[in-house]
Amino acid sequence: MTALNATTSNVPLTAPLSRAKVGMASLIFMESAFFSAFLVTYLYYIGKSPDGPQPLDCLELNMVLINSVCLLSSSITVVLAVRSLARGAMGAFRIWLAVTILLGLEFLLGTGYEWWGLIEDKGLTIQSNAFGTNFYSLVGFHAFHVLVGLVLLIGVFILSLFGCINPARDHQRVDVATWYWHFVDVVWILVFTLVYIVGRVPQGAAA
Amino acid sequence: MTPDHDKSKAERLAERAALAPRGPSEMPYLRAIPQPTPWPILAAFGLTFIFAGLVTNWMVSVVGAAFALVGLIGWFREVFPHENVEAIPVADCEAVLPPPVFEPRPAKSPRNVVPEEIHPYQSGFKGAVAGAIAMAVVAAGWGLIDEGSFWMPINLLAGTVLPSVGDATLEQLRLFNGGWFATAVAVHVCLSLAVGMVFVVSLPMMPRRPLLAGGLIAPIIWTGIAWATMRVVNPTLEEYISWPWFLGSQIAFGIACAAVISRTTKIRLQVGRSFESRMGFEQTEGDSS
Amino acid sequence: MQWAISVDHKKLAMMYIGAGLIFFLVGGIEAAFMRLQLAQAGNEIVDPATFNQLFTMHGTTMVFLVGMPILLGFGNYLIPLMVGARDMAFPRLNAFGFWLFIFGGLLLYFSYVGADGLYGAGTAPDVGWFAYAPLTSRTFSRGNSTDYWILGILVSGFGSMTTAINFIATILCMRCPGMKLMRMPMIAWMMLVVAFLVLVAIPILTAAQSMLLFDRTLGAHFFDPETQGSAILWQHLFWFFGHPEVYILILPAFGFVSEIMPTFSRKVIFGYPLMVAATVGIGFISLGVWAHHMFVVGLGPVLDSFFGATTFLISVPTGIKIFNWLGTMWGGRLQFTTPMLFVTGFVAMFVIGGLTGIMLATVPMDWQLSDSYFVVGHFHYVLFGGTVFGIFGALFYWFPKATGRMLNERLGKWTFWLLFIGFTLTFMPMHVSGALGMPRRIYTYEVDRGWEIWNLISSIGVPVQMAGVAIFLWNVVRSLRKGEVAGDDPWDAWTLEWSTTSPPPDWNFDRIPTCTSARPLWDRKHPEDPDAHYE
Ligand code: HEM
Ligand SMILES: [Cu+2]
């Protein structure tokens, strides 16, 4: 036994990777696989629903551009929030976090508003045609993930209001949590490109 | 570290148990492992119910969501702000586990052995010649005894590559044909050499009895394959063949070939040596011979 | 209660394996009914509708509720012990994942009472384990049975994904000092690749199942060809999940073989780096072969040749593994204990299954054999002869560690030989009946097709296997009470789990071990000739 304990001391005890980071990275990897299934399906169906409401007629860019700007800029504000937290500036942290949450809320409400318009005015529902099916599924799942991220951020915000967030102790955890928010943003870039740019093409001959 | 492998397992375990309670000085650590907690199972239950509601009643989903929420909050409080762990000072805990005993045991077989010995390739050549002759003798025997013609087996063998043999009459098959003879000899030589070379490499890997593996088992296996595929490979042969004789000739080949090859001494393959040292550009240890 | 709230990886692992074994019995009984029905031509033991439910539930159960949980269970038990950690990286997430699997499985089986079908009574899912569209559309699949299939698998799939995240974090972050990646036991490598495959494949299934759910409940149009949907898309999505899934089911068993075989050959594993490379290679290539399940769809010559070629390619790293195992045994002092019998059986049976796989990857041949009993023969050779044999080997090998008592060797050998003979009787003839044209999933057949004898032999194998399993269960019960006390290291093995007590304490190791080579325990036992010298 003694000979073996001797070797013990030679080997430094280091934890090379943080398990929170690896865990979050794996989660994001998994979610990417999930979204890629929907993205590929969307791509596959582009131009394949001649009947019913058409993307060119339904999708208007003005609303969704505002939403996109909000969501994308929220990635910046959340970085600012984490930086403030790392500096120990709790006030700035709360403000930036609140801004992030508001931007996220705007995105969700804007999406809801857009959907409402689509359903009421354009008559596009998940049952209309392949376009409707894919549109609501893809955008809906993304919105759901935004919601989850938002709940996460609101949770952090509430904790910080009650003084439960300790910069030195928690800033890494908060940082890892915000990775998820960035991920949701990146997915949006893909969704936006696919749905509002690539997908706004004529759908073959209308019946 | 007394060598005590002759003690029974029970004895060794008893010895270990006697070692059990150790002084606190040997117990420098607190063992921190997570506390048991009901929250994950509650959250899982809730999540399942959320989905189950889709196929039963929406109230089920509502109940599930409530459970899931409670579970997640409870779970969160379990890890925030500090992970809730159980500290077990080993000295106090009830079942102190003594360290396992390892007695050094002699290594019973080499750490790493790979099949790196073969017979020299030229022995494969000799074996092939011996096998080819042995096989030809048996085949000729079949031709003379059963079919009444020395040329019959030779012509049939040619049929493996020459489709024209298939159209021949039995009379023609019994007669000498120069082209067919040359073809048959070529086929026979090529196949024999190929099998000889395979034997050179594979016989040293067979457990102990090369004659059994190379002389009997291998011919039986390939006769089986021939039996299953002959209809496609050589339909003419299939028509006239006598399988016992065929098997006999294969075994004759196998035994002769394997006997000649296994008689020669093996040489070491140069596995794991760099190209330079194999080529002799560079001397390495153990190279002096 | 103790167990329900536990977050200890060993307890969870034992629950995983125990639950998996229970589902194994359930799935086995379903199979036994099918074989009873098919034993003779024109039998009327079960009616066609029930037969459909039987093969659907059998397949679904064996893949999702037996194979996955038992293998993940072994991963759970072994990874922390083998890499020298106190627990998994996220112990609570681990418990969460386990319970999701259990509840998902129960939800699936609840369909027997819960899913109002055509006849008003509960019906189990009956659309086959791969649930091809448009059979799953509302038109053809009334009631809720298909929804139960979706939701049950969805929920247990969440469980697998959380477990995979846990595996990755544990293997990457929780290794003990000195445990470099290239010193990890092969099982850790296999589990790492498996976790990666789970993270790629299961979300695709989840996505496809959500789409199907939308089709069925919200009237969406993903897969119904009547309304612009595409039935082929389902096949692509399903098999993009499905083929990695079969590797998820075999790689851990490769891991078992790679641990058990060296121990009982008394040699190091042959070609460790190559083994790692082959594992990683398999992981990647297996993502690009899925359409070999779809040759009969008519994808066109380009896609067919592409997927045929990638499938051939995957047999290269697989072959490397086989040769490495043979190289491990070669020249060793073989000890044919029960675990060793199972893993040698594994190698032999897996080779046969791999070869029939190659036959099926040959496109024109597949056109003949697809959807016949030949395919059933193929995948049972890899899944039963492979995965299940591996699991049994592992059960015999690590049972002493987990319980402190040995399983009885004599009964173990009985189990092996009964299973081996029964397995061969049941599945070997399927290749013949398949080649003779017998389609899979038929509930009966006519007399004069020449299939009777092969089906009869197949069915005769079933009671033989059942006897083997019964003896195994008896062995477990008996050994738990009065099996020979195992001690810490009954097999004189070389990986870290044998350096702690049997069963290990809740905290696994009194002192976190250090690792000096790929065989840390060898180094401790043989200080005069440690492996570290060879690295
Ligand atoms: C050398 C490796 C392998 C090759 C080349 C191969 C090839 C194939 C091919 C071409 C098919 C499609 C047959 C058809 O439906 O027409 C198939 C089916 C199947 N294979 Fe393999 N396979 C291999 C290994 C495995 C392994 C390791 C497993 C699982 C452990 C497995 C499990 C299955 C299953 C479950 C099916 C049938 C799925 C179904 O239709 O229900 N295979 N294999
Ligand atoms: Cu496959």
Side-chain angles (χ1 to χ4, degrees), chain C residues 18 23 52 127 152 163 183 189 224 256 349 371 392 394 420-421 438 442 450-451 497 502:
Chain C
F23 278 122
N52 289 353
V127 287
T163 308
R183 282 179 182 168
W189 269 109
D224 188 356
F256 303 153
M349 296 305 100
D371 280 320
F392 271 101
F420 184 81
I421 293 169
M438 178 166 168
I442 51 174
W451 304 339
E497 77 271 28
S502 314

Side-chain angles (χ1 to χ4, degrees), chain B residues 13 16 22 31 33-34 36-37 44 48 51 55 78 83-84 97 100 104-105 108-111 113-114 205, chain C residues 5 91-92 96 103 147 151 266-268 270 330 333 485 488 492 499 505-507 510 525-526 531 534:
Chain B
L13 287 172
R16 238 192 55 193
R22 289 175 290 170
R31 269 90 212 183
I33 50 169
T37 151
T48 313
F51 285 105
V55 277
E78 194 83 14
E83 199 180 349
N84 190 3
L97 292 159
R105 300 176 216 192
K108 295 220 183 72
S109 69
R111 177 180 182 282
V113 234
V114 292
M205 292 202 277
Chain C
I5 61 172
R92 295 167 197 83
F96 181 66
F103 293 141
D147 302 311
L151 295 173
R266 313 306 305 152
K267 279 174 61 193
V268 294
F270 180 72
W330 197 84
R333 282 186 81 248
V485 175
D488 299 339
D492 189 9
S499 74
D506 283 352
W507 52 92
D510 279 356
K525 294 174 188 172
H526 302 276
D531 259 15
Y534 299 89

Side-chain angles (χ1 to χ4, degrees), chain C residues 129-130 239 243 246-247 249-250 254 292-293 295 311-312 314-315 318 350 353-358 360-361 366 369-371 375 378-379 382-383 387 440-441:
Chain C
W129 87 278
F130 46 55
W239 290 119
H243 189 85
V246 305
Y247 275 90
L249 291 173
I250 198 71
F254 284 177
H292 65 213
H293 297 271
F295 286 148
T311 307
F312 286 146
I314 210 168
S315 51
T318 313
F350 184 79
L355 289 178
T356 54
I358 304 239
L360 290 170
D366 184 78
L369 294 174
S370 190
D371 280 320
V375 175
H378 157 66
F379 67 73
V382 279
L383 284 174
T387 306
R440 65 194 283 201
R441 295 184 173 172

Side-chain angles (χ1 to χ4, degrees), chain A residues 4 8 11 13 17 19 22-23 26-27 29-30 33-34 37-38 41 44-45 49 51 126-127 129-130 133-134 137 141, chain C residues 89-90 161 165 168-169 173 177-178 196 199-200 203-204 207 210-211 214 218-222 228-230 233 514 524:
Chain A
L4 295 158
T8 317
V11 192
L13 263 162
L17 288 162
R19 56 192 161 137
V22 172
S26 310
L27 178 76
F29 181 74
M30 175 188 109
F34 179 80
F38 276 94
T41 306
Y44 175 84
Y45 277 116
S49 52
D51 307 313
I126 195 167
Q127 301 190 347
N129 52 12
T133 293
N134 275 282
S137 308
F141 264 115
Chain C
F90 309 109
M161 292 189 274
I165 293 178
I168 294 183
C173 310
F196 164 78
L199 290 189
V200 180
I204 307 288
S210 327
M211 295 179 197
F214 290 163
L218 303 177
H221 307 294
F222 281 109
Q228 302 171 356
S230 162
L233 181 68
T514 45
R524 288 206 213 169

Side-chain angles (χ1 to χ4, degrees), chain A residues 127-176:
Chain A
Q127 301 190 347
S128 307
N129 52 12
F131 164 58
T133 293
N134 275 282
F135 175 82
Y136 285 110
S137 308
L138 177 60
V139 178
F141 264 115
H142 176 260
F144 175 70
H145 282 76
V146 175
L147 185 69
V148 172
L150 210 56
V151 169
L152 215 65
L153 294 182
I154 292 177
V156 176
F157 186 67
I158 294 178
L159 283 177
S160 82
L161 285 186
F162 286 97
C164 298
I165 301 268
N166 172 338
R169 187 190 66 203
D170 294 329
H171 92 263
Q172 290 223 324
R173 296 191 198 189
V174 175
D175 183 30
V176 172

